[in-house]
Amino acid sequence: MLTFTIRRLLLAIPTLLFISLVIFLLLELAPGDPMSQVPLTVPPEVKQKMREALGADQPMFFRYMLWLKQFFIIEPLHILGAITGIDLAGDAQRIISWQSRSPVADIIAQRIPQTLTVIGAAYVIGVLIALPIGIYSAYRQYSWFDQLGTFISMIGFSVPTFFTGVLLIVIFSVNLGWFPSIYDTTLKVTDWASFLKQVKQMVLPVSVLALYNAAQISRYMRSSMLDNLGQDYVRTARSVGMTERVVVLRDVLRNSMIPVVTVIALGIPTIFGGAIITEQVFKVNGLGQLLISAIHANDLPMVQTLTFIFAILIVLFNLIADVLYGILDPRIRYD
Amino acid sequence: MPDGAMPVLEVRGLKTVFHTRGGSVHAVNDVSFHLMPGELLGVVGESGSGKSVTMMSLIGLLPSPPADVQSGQVLLGGQDLLKATPEELRKVRGARIGFVFQDPMTSLNPVFTVGSQIMAPLRKHMGLSKAQAEARAVELLELVGIPDARRRLKSYPHQFSGGMRQRVMIAIALACDPEVLIADEPTTALDVTIQAQILELVKELRQKLGMAIVWITHDLGVVAEIADRVMVMYGGQVVEQAPVKELFRNPRHPYTRALLKTIPKLGGQRGERLQVIEGQPPILGFPPTACPFRARCAHAFARCEAENPARRPVDGLPLSQGHDVACHWSPEGAEDPSQEAAHA
Ligand SMILES: Nc1ncnc2c1ncn2[C@@H]1O[C@H](COP(=O)(O)OP(=O)(O)OP(=O)(O)O)[C@@H](O)[C@H]1O
Ligand SMILES: [Mg+2]
């Protein structure tokens, strides 16, 4: 397993390099100029100087190498430096956002907490709701509970989040006034009252996303349970006198979790990238919103960096899913 | 077998119906049989004749719905299992009645070690500690002929061959020293040499442990080799029942006779065609009102259509040694239906 993991990690390097090149080239070939946001009153010579400072006048290959170096060496050093308080990176050129002129990494670092609390909480809650629903629906297939579950997950699955989001806003904040419709990112949790406020403003966006996630994962859980409930080993477990509880929650669940855990792991990267719409609807200024605004403003370094981070997360969680699969299923041995 | 001994297991008038979307399936109709201590009862019959459903009905192993065990009695040491609570049934399953299924490749849980699967019933029914259960599991694996037992406890099912897995299944079924072992085609999925080994193993275990066995099979050769008594099933009914030698010597039911003719004979003429039973198995959509075999029977006459034959003794011997058949026809020159009618 260890050798497998190491081999996969090594293999991830060329994969990621290739992805980085594709991302870089795609965005490079798209029209756009770092100076497009600079006021027209700035004289051309100054603009030229600014371009040079950003390295934008160099040949494409150099810029690619520079970006790689910045991404993999300089920015990590900065982050390390910020954590340890030691200046490790010196004054090497960082990846600078064209839009805000500050380092891309700093902006991302500001946005991550919002995304993680809202979208992450929604994912965790979605999974926690989905698993018991999926298990019970399968065990009582075609019962009213199962039918209801099927109906709700069909809705959760097929109705887009911008619709459910707006619907919830109309019902719960406009009409009932229970929850705010806009997520206030400046809110700091310092005491009980502000904590309650934070919970309140999280309710709507988290519900929207949790419904969506739960719909998907409960379906996986249900069908995986159904697959396994029909297996011969279930009959064997019953034939030696195991209680239904043990049969379902130990024998069947342990087998059913194998594909579901994989699906859950593969879904984690979408926490970072996939909630763009919900973040827009509720004005959560997380990573998704950051990406959208960067695209609008033609902020190439920001878009490149974010896209590449998403790519890394996807590759990473693919690897994690594979490793988990090997851990959960004794039939799979990777070496 | 001592005269007057009590059967360990006695089944009376068992009826099982499946309620499916396509209608009811009357899979088991009024099946009665008994099993004496230490006896091996062979159960034969073609696919769909209700062998598995009968045995699974005994200990409530059929999923309900669709299955509905409608009536009958299943007496295990005086207790009626059909009236038992789920909790009482669970105490019987695995502890007093062990079950071995057809397909060893899928009957074991792939994600648990073989050891933990043997130890589960031991800990549940016998209340053994982990160490005790482990010691007993090693003993059991050795008993069923798995070498290097202690180490193999930690193996997963996929690390065993089919024959070895069936040995493990037998070890699980025998873990708590059951009075009755029900083996549902335990060798069908195995290749011939492995089949022979499993048969040898069961013979040997029977000698050592003395449990009574119900052995379901398609293979009359196997029955001839190991069974004391044979029960022939057709269309969810018992059509004939007799001690094994008696059945092979003097088969009474046309279906049994046809079945015996389908056994390829060693040293038989080459190119001689293997007999097959013509026609289709019966459709079990209704409770039987006629003989289920009549459509395929060469001897069928009017009465077979009008009345489902009850089991009647052939030789008048007591239950545990007797021969009975459910047929209106009798081979002793009774092919003339008028005579048969007069006889009745
Ligand atoms: N879950 C079920 N739902 C509906 N009908 C069923 C179900 N299980 C079994 N049956 C029906 O019950 C009848 C008897 O099946 P059973 O499995 O007992 O046959 P069998 O004698 O064991 O055959 P085989 O030799 O193929 O194992 C068949 O007609 C089958 O279609
Ligand atoms: Mg069967």
Side-chain angles (χ1 to χ4, degrees):
Chain A
M1 186 62 79
L2 189 67
T3 49
F4 167 79
T5 313
I6 293 170
R7 203 171 61 219
R8 280 290 306 266
L9 274 173
L10 290 178
L11 255 170
I13 294 174
T15 314
L16 283 173
L17 281 179
F18 179 72
I19 294 174
S20 73
L21 184 64
V22 171
I23 291 174
F24 182 84
L25 286 179
L26 268 178
L27 293 176
E28 201 59 39
L29 297 175
D33 176 24
M35 296 303 116
S36 56
Q37 300 282 315
V38 176
L40 288 172
T41 48
V42 177
E45 315 89 67
V46 182
K47 276 193 181 173
Q48 186 54 33
K49 284 242 168 58
M50 287 168 79
R51 261 198 203 97
E52 278 164 30
L54 287 170
D57 58 337
Q58 309 251 321
M60 202 147 69
F61 180 71
F62 282 100
R63 273 181 290 137
Y64 174 61
M65 296 309 279
L66 176 67
W67 180 59
L68 280 188
K69 183 181 154 207
Q70 288 171 330
F71 189 93
F72 283 109
I73 299 168
I74 296 170
E75 294 300 338
L77 282 179
H78 268 287
I79 293 165
L80 259 182
I83 294 168
T84 57
I86 310 162
D87 186 11
L88 294 162
D91 48 40
Q93 176 64 51
R94 303 185 60 179
I95 305 178
I96 299 293
S97 158
W98 289 352
Q99 198 181 0
S100 66
R101 317 272 149 202
S102 52
V104 163
D106 294 355
I107 304 172
I108 294 176
Q110 285 165 14
R111 300 298 187 95
I112 282 180
Q114 280 85 274
T115 292
L116 280 189
T117 41
V118 177
I119 322 287
Y123 199 69
V124 172
I125 290 172
V127 169
L128 290 182
I129 294 175
L131 297 187
I133 290 180
I135 294 167
Y136 194 75
S137 306
Y139 185 62
R140 290 258 173 268
Q141 194 188 7
Y142 304 133
S143 64
W144 67 263
F145 182 91
D146 181 31
Q147 313 266 10
L148 187 73
T150 305
F151 181 68
I152 292 178
S153 38
M154 209 173 64
I155 292 179
F157 204 60
S158 52
V159 177
T161 48
F162 61 78
F163 183 79
T164 36
V166 172
L167 188 71
L168 288 194
I169 288 177
V170 168
I171 297 175
F172 291 104
S173 47
V174 178
N175 285 337
L176 295 172
W178 292 354
F179 307 111
S181 70
I182 289 178
Y183 187 90
D184 175 11
T185 38
T186 58
L187 181 72
K188 291 266 176 299
V189 177
T190 50
D191 53 6
W192 184 243
S194 58
F195 174 75
L196 272 185
K197 215 169 163 201
Q198 170 69 12
V199 170
K200 261 188 158 178
Q201 69 174 352
M202 278 173 69
V203 167
L204 290 186
V206 166
S207 312
V208 168
L209 284 173
L211 173 71
Y212 184 74
N213 290 325
Q216 219 166 352
I217 292 166
S218 69
R219 291 285 94 184
Y220 279 116
M221 188 73 235
R222 177 179 179 272
S223 68
S224 181
M225 285 290 288
L226 281 178
D227 275 354
N228 280 287
L229 276 168
Q231 297 289 319
D232 286 351
Y233 69 78
V234 178
R235 191 178 57 188
T236 306
R238 292 196 173 117
S239 80
V240 298
M242 294 296 134
T243 58
E244 280 304 286
R245 195 189 176 79
V246 171
V247 171
V248 175
L249 294 182
R250 178 172 162 271
D251 294 67
V252 178
L253 183 60
R254 180 66 173 65
N255 279 280
S256 311
M257 279 313 283
I258 297 170
V260 176
V261 163
T262 311
V263 168
I264 293 174
L266 289 177
I268 291 177
T270 62
I271 296 177
F272 295 89
I276 295 171
I277 293 165
T278 314
E279 287 191 353
Q280 288 286 333
V281 171
F282 291 96
K283 307 283 185 292
V284 181
N285 63 343
L287 291 179
Q289 212 223 27
L290 180 62
L291 179 64
I292 290 286
S293 64
I295 290 172
H296 281 315
N298 235 326
D299 187 354
L300 274 196
M302 181 61 87
V303 177
Q304 270 170 351
T305 308
L306 279 176
T307 323
F308 193 43
I309 288 176
F310 295 154
I312 291 176
L313 287 171
I314 289 168
V315 170
L316 181 71
F317 277 94
N318 260 293
L319 171 68
I320 290 175
D322 279 357
V323 172
L324 281 176
Y325 211 107
I327 291 172
L328 289 175
D329 191 339
R331 284 163 295 188
I332 293 179
R333 283 287 170 260
Y334 289 122
D335 26 50
Chain B
M1 171 185 333
D3 259 338
M6 288 284 292
V8 262
L9 180 72
E10 188 167 4
V11 176
R12 294 185 193 149
L14 186 72
K15 264 198 182 95
T16 302
V17 180
F18 290 98
H19 299 289
T20 64
R21 289 185 182 194
S24 317
V25 180
H26 292 255
V28 176
N29 294 302
D30 200 9
V31 165
S32 303
F33 67 94
H34 66 277
L35 190 65
M36 301 306 285
E39 185 186 33
L40 197 151
L41 174 69
V43 179
V44 293
E46 69 188 345
S47 207
S49 57
K51 308 181 296 290
S52 304
V53 173
T54 301
M55 297 310 156
M56 297 213 276
S57 301
L58 301 188
I59 51 172
L61 266 189
L62 292 170
S64 175
D68 177 16
V69 180
Q70 287 186 331
S71 60
Q73 279 183 310
V74 176
L75 300 169
L76 180 74
Q79 185 192 8
D80 186 351
L81 297 186
L82 295 189
K83 292 207 178 71
T85 63
E87 184 51 39
E88 287 167 341
L89 257 189
R90 277 196 291 274
K91 289 205 177 104
V92 170
R93 297 206 279 250
R96 299 179 62 195
I97 298 182
F99 229 106
V100 177
F101 298 99
Q102 174 172 346
D103 192 349
M105 303 315 268
T106 55
S107 290
L108 292 165
N109 194 324
V111 300
F112 293 122
T113 61
V114 157
S116 78
Q117 295 186 59
I118 302 178
M119 282 152 65
L122 288 170
R123 301 198 62 182
K124 179 167 175 68
H125 297 299
M126 301 172 80
L128 300 189
S129 72
K130 193 150 187 265
Q132 288 169 319
E134 207 170 292
R136 171 89 176 125
V138 172
E139 221 176 274
L140 282 161
L141 284 187
E142 278 165 358
L143 185 71
V144 297
I146 289 180
D148 202 5
R150 182 162 290 282
R151 203 177 51 81
R152 292 302 252 165
L153 282 185
K154 297 202 175 55
S155 303
Y156 288 92
H158 72 273
Q159 292 162 318
F160 287 77
S161 67
M164 285 291 160
R165 284 192 217 185
Q166 199 57 300
R167 285 170 193 262
V168 171
M169 275 301 297
I170 292 172
I172 293 174
L174 294 180
C176 303
D177 252 326
E179 295 142 68
V180 177
L181 175 72
I182 299 176
D184 189 352
E185 306 190 38
T187 57
T188 308
L190 304 172
D191 68 50
V192 185
T193 42
I194 310 293
Q195 276 187 20
Q197 288 172 12
I198 297 284
L199 274 187
E200 279 312 306
L201 173 71
V202 170
K203 279 196 214 163
E204 186 193 315
L205 289 175
R206 217 183 131 200
Q207 292 262 306
K208 273 191 203 160
L209 307 175
M211 69 281 183
I213 300 177
V214 176
W215 188 282
I216 301 177
T217 178
H218 284 153
D219 190 342
L220 280 170
V222 170
V223 167
E225 193 179 335
I226 64 166
D228 299 316
R229 210 151 44 81
V230 191
M231 177 165 100
V232 182
M233 290 191 68
Y234 187 86
Q237 288 174 238
V238 179
V239 293
E240 187 160 12
Q241 184 274 129
V244 65
K245 287 212 182 71
E246 164 74 8
L247 188 93
F248 277 82
R249 204 182 319 117
N250 182 22
R252 308 286 296 196
H253 198 282
Y255 176 65
T256 315
R257 295 168 149 240
L259 211 55
L260 286 174
K261 283 196 197 128
T262 61
I263 310 178
K265 286 201 181 54
L266 220 59
Q269 201 112 47
R270 241 165 168 244
E272 190 184 338
R273 279 195 58 207
L274 203 63
Q275 291 248 12
V276 289
I277 305 174
E278 299 285 338
Q280 294 296 315
I283 297 151
L284 303 168
F286 302 97
T289 54
C291 174
F293 191 58
R294 69 191 182 285
R296 298 163 80 180
C297 182
H299 308 289
F301 55 100
R303 193 174 164 199
C304 305
E305 187 67 50
E307 182 191 337
N308 188 11
R311 285 166 72 178
R312 59 180 168 85
V314 172
D315 50 12
L317 285 173
L319 185 73
S320 56
Q321 294 143 40
H323 181 176
D324 64 68
V325 65
C327 184
H328 296 307
W329 173 79
S330 102
E332 280 86 40
E335 264 151 278
D336 176 5
S338 58
Q339 189 184 339
E340 184 67 20
H343 179 80

